[in-house]
């Protein structure tokens, strides 16, 4: 355990969550919706009515599994050389 040199800010947490969601394969559009940034282009702002609720739920469930340590599968390696 390493002590932090400075206090952790809300921005640090947002950045860390954003980075980890990207590493978990969550699309940028879903990450933007989760961070309350919305979708920035004129087309998406005015014409896209999709709420991304299901995608945000799936992203948060993926993140929860990551936090629980249940997000990865351990695959045993075979001993010896394959022929």
């Amino acid at each position: 355990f390493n002590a932090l040199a400075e206090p952790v800010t809300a921005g640090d947490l947002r950045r860390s969550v954003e980075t980890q969601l990207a590493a978990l394969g969550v699309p940028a559009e879903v990450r933007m919706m989760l961070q309350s940034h919305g979708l920035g282009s004129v087309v998406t702002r005015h014409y896209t009515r999709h709420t991304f609720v299901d995608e945000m739920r799936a992203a948060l469930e993926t993140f929860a599994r990551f936090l629980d340590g249940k997000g990865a599968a351990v695959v045993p390696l075979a001993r010896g050389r394959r022929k």
Side-chain angles (χ1 to χ4, degrees):
F1 177 81
N2 292 328
L4 298 173
E6 298 178 21
V8 175
T9 66
D12 294 331
L13 294 174
R14 288 175 68 92
R15 184 173 40 256
S16 296
V17 170
E18 170 76 17
T19 300
Q20 190 57 53
L21 287 171
L24 291 168
V26 175
E29 294 85 5
V30 177
R31 296 191 321 264
M32 285 189 286
M33 296 299 288
L34 283 170
Q35 295 275 11
S36 298
H37 296 299
L39 301 176
S41 76
V42 171
V43 172
T44 56
R45 195 174 9 202
H46 294 287
Y47 301 111
T48 302
R49 298 293 184 211
H50 183 59
T51 61
F52 291 87
V53 171
D54 293 334
E55 292 87 347
M56 289 188 294
R57 181 179 294 114
L60 291 174
E61 288 170 354
T62 297
F63 191 63
R65 284 193 303 275
F66 165 77
L67 293 175
D68 285 342
K70 298 176 184 174
V74 177
V75 179
L77 300 174
R79 293 185 177 243
R81 292 177 53 179
R82 288 187 172 180
K83 293 184 179 186

